[in-house]
Amino acid sequence: MSETSQTQATQEPSVLTVQDAYGVLLERFPGQVRMDERQGYEGVLIEADSLLDVASFMRDQLGIRYLSSVTGVDNLPNGQLESVYHAFAGLGPALVFKVQVDRDRPEVPSLVSVWPSADFQERESYDLLGIRYIGHPNLQRILTWEGFHGHPLRKDWHEPYYEEELKPFASRHPDGHVYRAEDRNPFGMNLQYPSDFDPHNWTDIAQAAVYQPLQRTALESRLETETMVINLGPQHPSTHGVLRVVMAVDGETVVDLMPVFGYLHRNHEKIGERCTFPQIMPYTDRLDYICSMSTNLAYALAVEKLTGIRPPERAEYIRVIMAELTRIVNHLLAIGFLWNDVGAFFTPVVYAFNERELILDLFEMAAGSRMMCNYVRVGGVFEDLPDGWMEKARRLVYDRLPRFVDEYERLVVQNEIWRARAIGVGVLPAERAIAVGATGPLLRGSGVPYDIRRVEPYSIYDRFDFDVAVRFNGDVYDRFMIRFDEMRQSLRILRQAMEQIPDGPVQTGKKNYTIKVPPGEAYHRIEAPKGELGFYLVSDGRPNPWRYHVRSTSLINLTSLAEMCRGHKIADVVVILGSIDITLGEVDR
């Protein structure tokens, strides 16, 4: 295996446990920090005026270097909005802290100066909940446009064709009478703008909100040139979906860059909050639609953490098998598409798709579908594996896939054009990778051996012997190569899981459309193929979640795009973006 290094994740555990860290904060900031004593909740509540001081103390004195998740909750009955944070110091669970503010004046200090990974997440919370993060360097809407009315995740916001607050709707089967919502609210009567927005005298959002923040940076040049702003996407094939990349360029050199999102946004989280907990599962397929099995698993684990449900042993093994097959599918496509971005149009992509189709055959045998699998359930999986499934899977895992990974690597890695386009391009140093919240191959390709399957094991991953793949140059080449390393480790896990899988049931209890969920909150994360995927759930005891939030791997990994591209050529932007590996369904939700 060429130019690789693999290691166990050996980060030292944080000096303090999470509970000890809470104790230190309570002692260090009396009157400003207090425990969250609501039933089923965890963490501490921090006064807004002290948030920056407390956050800086956590980073500098407690070693909390990685802020994973930032979101908000509308506590409508209390007249408050709540900004919720999950951060990590290394091994073990999250340190949770929150800020509660009046919903009529929802101002919270921005933490971008402490943890740059808060950038896009604070903008999202501002856009969808209206929490204003004071001091944010570019606080503007991120998923909707400037003429959008209101903040759609607030509980008193209703969409134009609003029918009811929660599903199942009374108009539906068996007793209801279905009607078209459009008939009761004709087109033209449903369009609203913010009170301070005039659509007739509107300045193009591209000029006002996107182009202006791109400031010219001085570059060493023998020519006197002017900075020009150009767009890559949102329809360009190399943006991997409807992503728009706005670049300020000096000649062919990128001076600054801003990714623009929202063209695929459908308010996934609002839809989820209308559904019962089990009804959400098929919607998770549409997030990272390359990796629906993994996304199903992440959501199921979050609900199981909230409810205390434990899946049967056989179901746990089936879940791991599906998740690791999904990792291989994802990395095959990531490698093939990245080569397509460079210009190798045929052979590498066809090679990747051939093997992917064989794994999708297995998904179809078990779930009845190839991409939107909807196979995992809260408490297990939908059905047991059919006859012949395991035999076919073993032939792939023990024979064909290992040979293919070796052959695929030999095909591409020594290509001199590829090496010239990838080595030393888009370097992301380890410290910056941690600061911007990078996860998955993007983080491990920068020399940080951080894998949630090791540092906070979930499901039954603590039973398997595998290495955490890591490479140390932080460039496009290492991010490309680490996916070969990870496919080999996935095959290693799959062989162990197939040898150990027991007989028995695959579902706890009955297949219900509703489940009893106690009041409280839960955040659960997994090592998805692209990085950390987390679900944050808040329950008020009803069959539907009060708050449902997706910590999007792809969105947060894009935080590093601008700094990786500055100083490179326009053509390099395409390669650097491809090396991150994003899915726009998960970015926009």
Side-chain angles (χ1 to χ4, degrees):
M1 190 181 303
S2 61
E3 300 184 32
T4 186
S5 174
Q6 294 180 332
T7 181
Q8 298 284 349
T10 57
Q11 297 97 329
E12 292 295 327
S14 55
V15 176
L16 301 176
T17 66
V18 168
Q19 293 304 319
D20 287 341
Y22 292 148
V24 171
L25 293 177
L26 292 170
E27 182 179 354
R28 176 66 176 77
F29 298 95
Q32 302 300 308
V33 177
R34 66 186 190 279
M35 293 301 299
D36 188 346
E37 296 180 350
R38 293 172 292 180
Q39 182 179 359
Y41 287 74
E42 58 182 330
V44 293
L45 301 175
I46 301 174
E47 295 297 319
D49 293 344
S50 302
L51 179 61
L52 271 175
D53 291 338
V54 176
S56 298
F57 178 84
M58 285 193 285
R59 182 195 62 188
D60 299 335
Q61 303 300 320
L62 301 184
I64 310 294
R65 300 166 58 205
Y66 168 50
L67 179 66
S68 168
S69 174
V70 181
T71 189
V73 179
D74 183 0
N75 295 325
L76 180 62
N78 298 330
Q80 293 178 323
L81 292 175
E82 185 173 279
S83 191
V84 183
Y85 308 82
H86 293 80
F88 296 85
L91 305 182
L95 188 146
V96 186
F97 56 102
K98 306 156 190 173
V99 176
Q100 295 177 339
V101 291
D102 192 309
R103 73 197 310 272
D104 294 328
R105 194 180 175 212
E107 296 183 351
V108 177
S110 171
L111 295 185
V112 173
S113 61
V114 181
W115 292 295
S117 59
D119 187 352
F120 294 162
Q121 299 186 77
E122 288 182 350
R123 285 180 58 191
E124 181 184 322
S125 189
Y126 161 69
D127 189 359
L128 302 184
L129 281 155
I131 300 175
R132 298 193 62 84
Y133 290 91
I134 306 304
H136 189 285
N138 184 29
L139 190 64
Q140 57 176 294
R141 289 186 182 269
I142 190 170
L143 296 175
T144 63
W145 69 298
E146 292 300 313
F148 190 87
H149 174 70
H151 303 284
L153 284 181
R154 288 200 178 193
K155 292 299 181 180
D156 55 359
W157 184 93
H158 294 149
E159 66 273 20
Y161 296 117
Y162 172 79
E163 185 170 348
E164 292 182 40
E165 190 62 33
L166 301 175
K167 293 181 180 179
F169 294 157
S171 65
R172 302 303 194 260
H173 179 82
D175 301 320
H177 301 282
V178 176
Y179 61 87
R180 294 177 72 252
E182 294 88 339
D183 293 338
R184 299 191 177 187
N185 192 355
F187 178 77
M189 303 292 291
N190 61 341
L191 187 60
Q192 299 183 63
Y193 296 106
S195 58
D196 58 350
F197 183 84
D198 182 358
H200 301 292
N201 298 308
W202 173 53
T203 301
D204 186 358
I205 177 64
Q207 298 291 338
V210 175
Y211 291 164
Q212 288 180 4
L214 295 177
Q215 301 296 325
R216 178 173 181 173
T217 301
L219 295 174
E220 293 184 4
S221 175
R222 297 180 180 178
L223 300 176
E224 292 185 4
T225 59
E226 292 184 0
T227 300
M228 180 171 61
V229 176
I230 63 173
N231 285 274
L232 180 66
Q235 77 291 340
H236 196 285
S238 291
T239 58
H240 295 255
V242 283
L243 173 68
R244 177 183 172 200
V245 180
V246 184
M247 293 181 286
V249 296
D250 190 335
E252 282 285 319
T253 303
V254 177
V255 175
D256 206 353
L257 175 153
M258 179 184 293
V260 182
F261 316 108
Y263 297 97
L264 195 60
H265 178 62
R266 65 267 194 206
N267 212 339
H268 172 95
E269 295 178 7
K270 188 79 168 182
I271 294 171
E273 291 172 10
R274 293 272 167 83
C275 295
T276 65
F277 283 93
Q279 282 177 334
I280 293 173
M281 186 63 76
Y283 289 101
T284 67
D285 291 341
R286 276 76 180 169
L287 292 167
D288 184 352
Y289 36 78
I290 305 298
C291 304
S292 68
M293 287 284 193
S294 295
T295 315
N296 288 172
L297 174 60
Y299 173 68
L301 288 168
V303 179
E304 288 163 4
K305 182 177 181 179
L306 194 57
T307 58
I309 294 173
R310 180 63 187 249
E313 282 283 294
R314 182 171 176 82
E316 292 274 33
Y317 278 90
I318 293 174
R319 287 175 167 192
V320 167
I321 289 170
M322 295 302 186
E324 294 308 314
L325 287 172
T326 299
R327 197 177 312 276
I328 295 172
V329 165
N330 181 87
H331 289 353
L332 287 173
L333 293 192
I335 292 168
F337 286 144
L338 182 52
W339 259 65
N340 184 73
D341 292 338
V342 175
F345 274 98
F346 186 71
T347 303
V349 181
V350 172
Y351 263 47
F353 269 83
N354 282 344
E355 305 309 306
R356 177 211 187 207
E357 289 301 307
L358 297 176
I359 298 176
L360 295 192
D361 287 345
L362 294 174
F363 290 169
E364 186 176 15
M365 288 177 67
S369 54
R370 301 177 71 79
M371 283 187 66
M372 314 301 180
C373 295
N374 187 26
Y375 180 61
V376 179
R377 292 291 184 274
V378 176
V381 296
F382 177 64
E383 294 284 359
D384 204 346
L385 301 173
D387 293 341
W389 193 96
M390 193 62 75
E391 290 75 13
K392 186 171 183 176
R394 283 196 175 99
R395 287 196 297 271
L396 273 180
V397 169
Y398 282 87
D399 183 28
R400 177 157 181 153
L401 286 175
R403 287 189 291 107
F404 170 78
V405 171
D406 292 342
E407 179 182 317
Y408 200 23
E409 184 178 17
R410 288 194 301 270
L411 172 69
V412 296
V413 298
Q414 295 302 324
N415 182 286
E416 61 182 297
I417 298 175
W418 162 246
R419 293 172 69 88
R421 294 293 306 276
I423 294 176
V425 174
V427 174
L428 182 64
E431 287 299 321
R432 285 302 297 167
I434 296 169
V436 299
T439 56
L442 179 61
L443 177 66
R444 292 187 288 275
S446 292
V448 183
Y450 189 88
D451 187 313
I452 299 169
R453 294 172 296 175
R454 282 286 192 207
V455 299
E456 192 182 4
Y458 54 91
S459 186
I460 53 171
Y461 274 104
D462 56 351
R463 303 181 187 181
F464 302 120
D465 179 28
F466 67 98
D467 296 324
V468 175
V470 61
R471 287 174 178 258
F472 298 95
N473 296 309
D475 57 6
V476 168
Y477 187 84
D478 275 12
R479 291 193 286 274
F480 176 81
M481 289 302 302
I482 203 166
R483 292 182 170 94
F484 284 105
D485 305 338
E486 293 195 0
M487 285 192 288
R488 292 186 172 96
Q489 296 306 314
S490 290
L491 290 170
R492 189 173 166 189
I493 293 171
L494 283 165
R495 288 191 289 268
Q496 295 173 69
M498 290 176 175
E499 291 167 2
Q500 299 173 18
I501 186 170
D503 295 327
V506 296
Q507 178 64 245
T508 297
K510 299 178 181 179
K511 297 177 183 177
N512 293 324
Y513 293 101
T514 61
I515 56 176
K516 185 174 178 59
V517 180
E521 65 174 354
Y523 176 72
H524 199 286
R525 57 182 188 148
I526 70 164
E527 188 63 48
K530 293 177 173 65
E532 178 175 328
L533 173 65
F535 284 86
Y536 175 66
L537 302 174
V538 177
S539 169
D540 62 354
R542 292 186 293 179
N544 312 70
W546 178 263
R547 181 72 176 99
Y548 163 75
H549 172 65
V550 183
R551 190 269 184 203
S552 166
T553 310
S554 296
L555 174 71
I556 299 169
N557 278 352
L558 282 170
T559 308
S560 62
L561 179 62
E563 63 184 88
M564 286 196 292
C565 292
R566 291 188 191 106
H568 285 293
K569 302 302 182 184
I570 295 172
D572 294 327
V573 173
V574 173
V575 183
I576 294 169
L577 174 62
S579 74
I580 296 175
D581 184 21
I582 63 169
T583 298
L584 261 296
E586 186 189 82
V587 172
D588 281 0
R589 283 150 291 138

